[in-house]
Amino acid sequence: MQVLFKVIRQDQTAAPRVETFTLDVDPGSTILDCLNRIKWEQDGTLAYRKNCRNTICGSCSIRINGRSALACKENVGSELARVQQSLPFQADETAQPNAEMPTITLAPMGNMPVIKDLVVDMQSFWSNLKAIDPYVSTAARQIPEREFLQTPEERAKLNQTGNCILCGACYSECNAYEVNPNFVGPHALAKAYRMVADSRDDQTEARLEKYNQGTDGVWGCTRCYFCNSVCPMEVAPLDQISKIKGEILDRKGAQSSRIIRHRKTLIELVKQGGWIDERLFGLKVVGNSFRDLKGLASLSPLGLRMIVKGKFPLGFEPSEGASTVRSLIDSVQVLEASQVQLETLAETPEPVGG
């Protein structure tokens, strides 16, 4: 089959441009196979990264039809099928399919400056990874006579995050980093959770304090889910970020910061009424239940505008399923508490008999 490849090309000192290449390819050919053929057969100046060709090294990440992915993993047939599924539904089922040549657009990854064509400068990616100290620390322990052992259960906690190949796909799609360059990124925080979950590490509390630093850490995540949707190894960075948040929330009270208060108040209000009482939410979070006068004052302009436009809620009606929501939250909290107790018991060494 013939496929038209639109490649977004760019030099550091020039604006991006689109160049087209037509290939006669098999549907099973990978996008990397096609890039190789373009370079070897049509334009030897095309720049892109590659190495293992087996979804191991993560070198060949690019944007394929607007989605960050590994060029060695995606093939022509599945990519064209994905694009076809995303097209608007055609009401006229008898209409002839579009006779135009199928097209695949290839572009460099986002959130990183372009060096040349599909090659980007990943310095910020690596710097942010380094910032979370992605190494097991045992500095406080004495040098053991043997290696630090883990149970199969302890090791299993590291499997998912250990699959990360640092391809940069999640970083490329991260909306939070796009608007806040100080946010460390989903790749770094996924690795961060691996350190938090590692039973051999002795810096858990210090790590959690570091990851709790405002929008630079876990609270900078906007939960857009893009990182999970593009991860080729199913690391699910958003899930790992949520786990770190859970560890922090278990250790912090509502008075520790507005960010913590926001999350705890949200759960509290949903538990009470099934959904959020907007009148109380601002007062409890921003105004800190009338403890933060400056915060209360900041709410006044918004409150006045809402009153003038008739949008200020005068009352609150709990949802019909409020009791069900409350029982579900209670059940989850009881289950989480029991799991913590079981883990604590499992980690407690048995006394040695005399």
Side-chain angles (χ1 to χ4, degrees):
M1 63 183 298
Q2 282 200 324
V3 177
L4 180 67
F5 289 87
K6 293 183 178 180
V7 183
I8 311 299
R9 304 192 66 177
Q10 182 178 356
D11 297 318
Q12 285 182 311
T13 57
R17 65 187 187 278
V18 179
E19 293 190 5
T20 58
F21 305 90
T22 301
L23 290 178
D24 192 356
V25 297
D26 185 90
S29 299
T30 66
I31 302 299
L32 182 58
D33 291 335
C34 298
L35 280 171
N36 286 337
R37 285 190 55 195
I38 292 172
K39 185 175 181 69
W40 298 338
E41 300 172 9
Q42 299 189 35
D43 190 338
T45 67
L46 178 63
Y48 55 94
R49 287 192 175 110
K50 64 174 183 175
N51 192 7
C52 73
R53 300 181 298 172
N54 286 292
T55 324
I56 295 173
C57 71
S59 298
C60 62
S61 291
I62 57 174
R63 272 182 168 162
I64 305 171
N65 288 326
R67 174 181 61 99
S68 296
L70 295 178
C72 70
K73 183 179 181 182
E74 307 301 323
N75 63 54
V76 171
S78 61
E79 183 58 30
L80 292 177
R82 186 186 72 83
V83 172
Q84 187 65 33
Q85 290 176 354
S86 66
L87 294 176
F89 175 73
Q90 293 183 359
D92 185 2
E93 296 183 357
T94 63
Q96 293 296 320
N98 194 331
E100 293 182 1
M101 186 183 302
T103 301
I104 294 177
T105 301
L106 307 179
M109 289 195 293
N111 286 330
M112 290 167 276
V114 174
I115 296 175
K116 180 176 172 56
D117 297 340
L118 304 180
V119 178
V120 296
D121 185 348
M122 299 183 69
Q123 183 58 51
S124 64
F125 176 89
W126 299 117
S127 296
N128 287 347
L129 178 65
K130 183 179 179 181
I132 59 97
D133 298 326
Y135 316 104
V136 175
S137 173
T138 56
R141 304 182 187 183
Q142 295 181 350
I143 298 176
E145 295 181 358
R146 56 185 299 181
E147 67 272 18
F148 294 116
L149 300 180
Q150 288 183 299
T151 65
E153 293 75 19
E154 289 172 335
R155 180 60 185 82
K157 293 180 180 180
L158 313 181
N159 289 342
Q160 187 175 19
T161 52
N163 288 335
C164 176
I165 58 175
L166 298 173
C167 65
C170 63
Y171 192 74
S172 169
E173 300 296 330
C174 182
N175 288 321
Y177 180 77
E178 185 173 354
V179 298
N180 175 23
N182 293 323
F183 179 56
V184 294
H187 71 300
L189 291 173
K191 288 291 186 182
Y193 179 70
R194 188 194 184 285
M195 299 301 104
V196 170
D198 199 317
S199 61
R200 300 165 297 177
D201 190 79
D202 60 4
Q203 298 294 315
T204 301
E205 301 304 321
R207 290 183 186 278
L208 291 175
E209 284 295 329
K210 185 174 184 178
Y211 307 151
N212 186 33
Q213 297 304 309
T215 56
D216 293 0
V218 292
W219 305 110
C221 172
T222 60
R223 299 182 61 83
C224 68
Y225 208 78
F226 281 3
C227 57
N228 278 19
S229 67
V230 300
C231 178
M233 306 305 293
E234 299 183 355
V235 174
L238 174 59
D239 295 7
Q240 315 314 322
I241 294 172
S242 297
K243 291 174 185 176
I244 298 177
K245 289 180 178 178
E247 295 287 346
I248 293 171
L249 289 168
D250 288 342
R251 291 165 167 80
K252 299 288 185 180
Q255 296 304 312
S256 60
S257 70
R258 183 180 291 182
I259 290 174
I260 302 294
R261 192 160 57 249
H262 182 282
R263 180 60 62 88
K264 289 183 177 289
T265 300
L266 185 147
I267 296 173
E268 174 191 333
L269 293 179
V270 170
K271 184 177 179 181
Q272 291 176 3
W275 48 44
I276 298 173
D277 185 343
E278 296 174 348
R279 303 169 307 163
L280 296 178
F281 193 68
L283 292 176
K284 286 178 173 290
V285 176
V286 181
N288 194 12
S289 299
F290 297 97
R291 295 183 182 90
D292 186 347
L293 298 180
K294 186 176 180 180
L296 282 173
S298 70
L299 290 174
S300 300
L302 174 61
L304 290 173
R305 288 199 302 271
M306 292 177 69
I307 292 172
V308 169
K309 294 182 179 294
K311 294 185 177 181
F312 189 85
L314 300 177
F316 175 76
E317 290 291 335
S319 70
E320 295 181 0
S323 59
T324 303
V325 172
R326 190 178 305 114
S327 65
L328 287 172
I329 293 176
D330 286 337
S331 298
V332 170
Q333 291 175 337
V334 170
L335 179 62
E336 289 178 342
S338 63
Q339 288 176 338
V340 170
Q341 290 178 349
L342 289 173
E343 290 176 359
T344 302
L345 289 173
E347 293 172 0
T348 303
E350 297 182 0
V352 179

